[in-house]
């Protein structure tokens, strides 16, 4: 995962510039994400779907993989690429919790705090993670930009409480004392 | 056998027409009807919130649930189809209980404290009252939120009252086909969002106000603050007057909402009423009518200082007080258009959405920038009506008697009503004795008219807009930027495309419809004949022409077939730059239709070969038989609200009403009799056209201009301005002291569309009645009164008191309007021909025959001729001119509209990214555009819409007048100038010369974005 970049401010050129005053393009610069290899990948994805609209979720994953999050700029860019409206794309992005609407740390840590894990001390694990990463609170990114910790509902590993997910990677049976070792490997 | 058929019919009747009972009343409805529709047909009022006529049904609000026999659960009336034997109770105890709980839940997030006691302000609150839901309940949840539109000068949001019915979302995406709005987030956080980032501009908003129209709570409302409205505004609507939008030729009906003598706002007619627009508007129609009450409105007649009455006669006396010799005979303390073109400009604003305080910024009202400058009034004194009309009568009579009737001319107005246009041409024909009568049709569709007259003896569209929207399989649009110039029709075309119609767009620019089109033929400007001949060539080569139609309905096919022979798609590609493969594809798509409609506008007509271009298009239409059937419309899209009507009423130099030639003594006799003048008062000579009148060496010495502004709209305008300065007499009747009126001897204050009764003809031949809503300001008079007064002063009999009376005379001399009276024009009006008092009008023409002597149309062979001036080494760019969404023609009205002018406050030129990069021009930079005729300074707008080496200059701006540059080369038949093509060079303006300095503004905070 690359850290978020290339995005400043919230002004961008219109997705489907219609007419009138909307045509200006010298507003603050936004580096498009759907270029080069990412665009090639999108084209490959599009081949698998009957309509462009149907490819919206994987297209958003592409953006999130490339940028770490899905900015409003990127939503408009995806809308243009898939011939949708920016508002529609925003509706989809904000409906699902797994698309990040804000920049997150390089390592995105999800901790299961559903009942069985809770019973096995998940809360202490969360506290340890927040302390050791420097995040301070759930959802925040650590000052070094490396970590963001959030709570999630069941990760499906109740027999190995408390499971956590670091980006795509699954770690089972995490207890507060293991936290610093796990994080050290990432630092 | 018979009984079998009967049985079958009875069976299918039962199957397709279920009988059901709603609230004890029995009814039949066709299968597929919803319970709601069946109930509404019985005038049973089932409450609805998310449902709205003509919008897709979503059934999410659950307020319309009703009880249905044998159904254990309540069902949504809006989404449930009727069935035979069904018994429906719309107000059953269960249904009412459900409604109360739905409303109660919505009220939990609603600012209940704002609901007036025992009253209601909107549709939603009316339901709350109807079902006696207590308004004291409020949960601890915060009020709903959503994207606001802070600083928007037209549309406002107050999302605390949003109930998430999503009508606005569907209206935007399904009626206007734009899609600015949607629902984001979920659960209790769900809210309406504007685009991805809350900025409507980035989401492609066109400010049409469709969302305002459908919102049931006022969460989305227009700029008129709700607080200003009396409480219970929805319960007791203020007075509303039905009118017709004064902008383009679509002829949208609108409702003017009046308080006292103020036009407060514009609302939509109900969507289910039959109106040409289904009640939709564009930004101009809904938010651009505040010009009516602009402070610049003329309220008293003006007479140029220097005119004095001596011995009962008006004389020009330079010694008269107030006259300044510096101004010359016809000048004033102002910059001529040519000099204004060279002034430094403000940097354009990039994000015009500002806090509303902008309106009170230190610069004062932003309208001051474009409103009439104070010193324009200096050469005039206020006068009485008697003085003004006396002076005009004296001078018209004087010129007529001394220099002959043809030394006088008038410009009628495509903005004025049929009655006014009829009276003005009547005054000049019967009172003065000249046919020198013309109006801006000369500059717009005159070449279409001359080509259509020649080919099929007609002057108007053959079909209707509704037919294009609902029936056409292929829509071929040429040189028409419909989504900006006729936005409501543009939306209908986009809806047609959604329905499955194929779109072919021929346009040098990649306009919105071109980008959406199935085929975009992006041709080199002015090469239309080559393109159209190329299309026909391929159609003939493939044998796709309609031989039966050609044989039975046309002449001259063989000549045309021979003429297009050389124009193979490959040869056409060489001229037009459109790939031959695309030409072939478009030709096949169009010819195979089966129902193909053909739409065109200024992009075809405003060329020196305009008549040829339209003729070659008509050849295509006729060879493919794409006319005279419902679904195959031939439609020149009319620009002005009444350009069709003004022409129909005889405000053109060679014909009386209904295109009856002035050269025919029999017709002359008929008119002379009706007007009460001797035959020889009416001239048999066709008069001069606009472009022949305003020309060095023209015989015209005196003019009367009603509601036109040629000193912006004429080609090569610096010459036109000089010409007007040399006139012996000029009278202007207008709403404002326009660029033209400032040179007048007498200026008469007329009435706007809202201040008078009149009829207007839209682009589909629909005659509609607009009613008077308010009184004109000050002493301004309805134009019809001014013209009647003047007619009588000129000694011509005028037995009318009002517009309805004038219409009776028009109908008596106009065969195709024979059955038209004001009484019959309620509702959607009438589409002429209307043959008699009982005839219901004609939605489409030429089913079976054309109105020619033998009923056949003629194909006219034409050859490609390049534009008069092509780019070369010194002037390497093509310049194109035209309209923008937010402005109208010479800007007289739109630049005095707060909302519209805030969207496009400064003149800009569209230039391609590549050209701009090569010349080192950034967006917003000042550039100088120079043609062989003039030069203007203007801000660059980098645009993906224009091709390389082409630029587009809007025509609306006095301070950068496109017509300083345009080429006055004329079409030989219609005398329309070549507005669409001329050669220019473009150069960046050096940085230290660029833009007005802050100091020039007196150190005050400037409005423009360049300063922040």
């Amino acid at each position: 995962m690359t850290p978020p970049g290339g995005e400043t401010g919230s002004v961008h050129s219109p997705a489907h510039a219609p007419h009138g005053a909307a045509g200006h393009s010298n507003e603050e610069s936004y580096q498009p994400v759907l270029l080069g290899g990412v665009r090639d990948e999108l084209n490959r994805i599009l081949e698998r779907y009957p309509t462009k609209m149907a490819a919206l979720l994987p297209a958003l994953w592409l953006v999130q993989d490339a940028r770490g999050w899905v900015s409003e700029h990127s939503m408009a860019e995806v809308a243009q690429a898939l011939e949708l409206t920016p508002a529609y794309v925003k509706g989809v992005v904000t409906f699902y919790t797994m698309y990040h609407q804000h920049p997150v740390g390089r390592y995105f840590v999800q901790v299961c705090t559903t009942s069985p894990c809770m019973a096995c001390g998940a809360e202490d694990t969360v506290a340890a993670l927040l302390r050791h990463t420097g995040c301070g609170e759930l959802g925040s990114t650590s000052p070094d930009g490396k970590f963001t910790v959030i709570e999630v509902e069941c990760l499906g590993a109740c027999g190995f409480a408390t499971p956590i997910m670091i980006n795509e990677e699954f770690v089972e049976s995490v207890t507060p004392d293991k936290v610093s070792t796990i994080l050290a490997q990432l630092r | 056998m018979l009984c079998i058929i009967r049985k079958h019919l009875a069976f299918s009747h039962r199957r397709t027409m279920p009988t059901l009972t709603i609230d004890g009343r029995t009814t039949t409805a066709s299968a597929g009807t919803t319970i709601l529709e069946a109930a509404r047909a019985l005038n049973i009022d089932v409450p609805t919130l998310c449902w709205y006529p003509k919008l897709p049904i979503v059934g999410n609000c659950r307020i319309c649930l009703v009880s249905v026999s044998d159904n254990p659960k309540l069902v949504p009336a809006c989404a449930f189809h009727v069935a035979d034997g069904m018994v429906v109770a719309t107000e059953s105890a269960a249904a009412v209980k459900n409604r109360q709980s739905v409303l109660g839940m919505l009220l939990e997030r609603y600012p209940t404290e704002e609901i007036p006691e025992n009253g209601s302000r909107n549709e939603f609150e009316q339901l709350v009252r109807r079902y006696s839901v207590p308004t004291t309940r409020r949960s601890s949840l915060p009020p709903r939120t959503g994207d606001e539109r802070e600083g928007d000068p037209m549309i406002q949001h107050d999302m605390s009252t949003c109930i998430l019915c999503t009508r606005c979302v569907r209206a935007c995406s399904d009626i206007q086909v734009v899609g600015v709005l949607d629902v984001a987030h979920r659960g209790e956080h769900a809210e309406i969002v504007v685009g991805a980032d809350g900025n409507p501009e980035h989401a492609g908003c066109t400010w049409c106000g469709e969302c305002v129209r459908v919102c049931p709570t006022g969460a989305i409302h227009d700029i008129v603050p709700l607080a200003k409205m009396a409480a219970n505004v929805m319960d007791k609507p203020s007075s509303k007057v039905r009118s017709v939008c004064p902008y383009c030729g679509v002829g949208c009906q609108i409702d003017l909402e009046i308080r006292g003598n103020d036009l407060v706002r514009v609302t939509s007619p109900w969507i289910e009423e039959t109106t040409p627009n289904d009640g939709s508007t564009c930004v101009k129609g809904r938010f651009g009518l505040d010009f009516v009450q602009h402070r610049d409105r003329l309220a008293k007649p003006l007479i140029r200082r220097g005119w004095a009455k001596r011995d009962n006669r008006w004389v020009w006396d330079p010694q008269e007080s107030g006259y300044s010799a510096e101004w010359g005979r016809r000048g004033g303390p102002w910059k001529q258009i040519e000099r204004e073109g060279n002034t430094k400009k403000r940097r354009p604003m990039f994000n015009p959405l500002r806090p509303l305080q902008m309106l009170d910024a230190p610069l004062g009202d932003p309208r001051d920038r474009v409103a009439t400058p104070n010193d324009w009034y200096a050469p005039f004194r206020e006068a009485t009506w008697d003085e003004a009309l006396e002076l005009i009568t004296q001078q018209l009579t004087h010129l007529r008697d001394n220099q002959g009737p043809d030394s006088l001319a008038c410009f009628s107005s495509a903005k004025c009503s049929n009655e006014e246009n009829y009276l003005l041409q009547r005054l000049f024909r019967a009172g003065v004795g000249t046919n020198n009568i013309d109006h801006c049709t000369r500059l717009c569709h005159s070449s279409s008219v001359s080509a259509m007259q020649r080919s099929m003896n007609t002057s108007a569209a053959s079909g209707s807009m509704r037919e294009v929207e609902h029936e056409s399989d292929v829509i071929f649009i040429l040189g028409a930027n419909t989504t900006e110039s006729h936005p409501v029709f543009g939306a209908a075309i986009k809806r047609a495309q959604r329905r499955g119609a194929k779109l072919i767009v021929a346009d040098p620019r990649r306009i919105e419809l071109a980008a959406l089109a199935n085929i975009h033929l992006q041709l080199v400007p002015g090469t239309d004949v080559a393109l159209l001949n190329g299309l026909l060539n391929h159609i003939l080569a493939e044998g796709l022409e309609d031989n039966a139609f050609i044989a039975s309905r046309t002449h001259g096919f063989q000549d045309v077939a021979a003429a297009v022979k050389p124009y193979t798609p490959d040869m056409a590609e060489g001229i037009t730059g459109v790939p031959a493969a695309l030409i072939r594809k478009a030709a096949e798509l169009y010819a195979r239709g089966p129902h193909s409609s053909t739409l065109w506008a200024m992009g075809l007509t405003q060329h020196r070969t305009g008549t040829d271009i339209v003729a070659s298009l008509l050849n295509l239409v006729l060879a493919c038989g794409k006319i005279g059937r419902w679904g195959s419309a031939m439609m020149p899209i009319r620009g002005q609200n009444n350009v069709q009507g003004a022409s129909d009423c005889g405000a053109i130099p060679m014909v009386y009403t209904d295109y009856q030639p002035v050269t025919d003594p029999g017709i002359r006799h008929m008119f002379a009799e009706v007007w009460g003048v001797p035959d020889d008062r009416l001239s048999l000579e066709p008069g001069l056209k606009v472009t022949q009148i305003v020309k060095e060496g023209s015989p015209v010495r005196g003019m009367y201009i009603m509601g036109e502004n040629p000193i912006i709209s004429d080609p090569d305008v610096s010459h036109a301005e000089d010409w007007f300065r040399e006139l012996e007499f000029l009278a202007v009747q207008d709403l404002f002291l326009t660029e033209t009126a400032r040179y007048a001897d007498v200026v008469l204050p007329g009435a706007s569309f809202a201040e008078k009764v009149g009829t207007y003809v839209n682009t589909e031949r629909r005659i509609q009645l607009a009613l008077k809503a308010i009184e004109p300001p000050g002493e301004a008079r309805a134009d019809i009164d001014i013209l009647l007064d003047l007619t009588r002063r000129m000694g011509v009999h005028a037995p009318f008191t009002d517009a309805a009376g004038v219409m009776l005379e028009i109908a008596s001399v106009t065969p195709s309007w024979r059955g038209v009276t004001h009484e019959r024009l309620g509702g959607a009006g009438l589409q002429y021909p209307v043959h008699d008092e009982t005839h219901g009008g004609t939605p489409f023409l030429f089913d079976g025959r054309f109105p020619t002597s033998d009923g056949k149309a003629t194909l006219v062979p034409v050859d490609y001729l390049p534009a008069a001036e092509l780019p070369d080494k010194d002037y390497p760019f093509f310049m194109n001119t035209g309209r923008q969404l937010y402005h109208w023609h010479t800007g007289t009205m739109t630049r005095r509209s707060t909302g519209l002018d805030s969207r496009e406050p400064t003149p800009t030129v569209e230039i391609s990214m590549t050209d701009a990069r090569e010349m080192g021009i950034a967006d917003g930079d000042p550039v100088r555009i120079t043609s062989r005729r003039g030069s203007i300074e203007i801000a660059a707008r980098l645009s993906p819409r224009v091709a390389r080496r082409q630029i587009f200059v809007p025509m609306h701006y006095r301070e950068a007048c496109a017509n300083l540059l345009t080429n006055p080369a004329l079409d030989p038949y219609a005398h329309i100038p070549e507005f669409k093509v001329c050669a220019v060079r473009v150069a960046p303006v050096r940085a230290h010369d660029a833009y007005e300095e802050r100091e020039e503004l007196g150190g005050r905070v400037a409005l423009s974005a360049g300063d922040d």
Side-chain angles (χ1 to χ4, degrees), chain B residues 32 64 136-137 202 296 367 382 428 496 645 657 736 797 898 980:
Chain B
C64 71
T136 44
R137 270 174 67 188
H202 295 157
D296 286 351
R367 289 172 294 181
E382 291 185 345
F428 264 71
T657 65
F736 302 100
H797 184 52
T898 316
K980 291 293 181 194

Side-chain angles (χ1 to χ4, degrees), chain A residues 10-12 14-16 18-27 72 75-76 85-88 90-91 94-97 101, chain B residues 178-186 195-197 201-204 206 349-350 484 512 885-886 903-904 923 941-942 945:
Chain A
S10 63
V11 195
H12 59 116
H16 47 134
H19 32 53
H24 293 296
S25 56
N26 79 335
E27 296 170 334
E72 288 169 342
M75 294 177 204
T85 68
Y88 180 84
K90 179 168 190 171
T94 56
F95 182 86
Y96 295 105
T97 54
Q101 295 163 58
Chain B
V178 179
V180 172
L181 304 170
D182 218 315
V183 182
H185 306 288
R186 59 179 175 175
D197 63 355
E201 186 168 306
H202 295 157
T206 63
M349 297 195 287
F350 288 126
E484 287 191 63
E512 186 184 357
L885 173 62
Y886 297 100
R903 295 287 303 136
E904 287 280 4
D923 206 16
R941 172 177 291 169
L942 273 48
R945 309 205 298 179

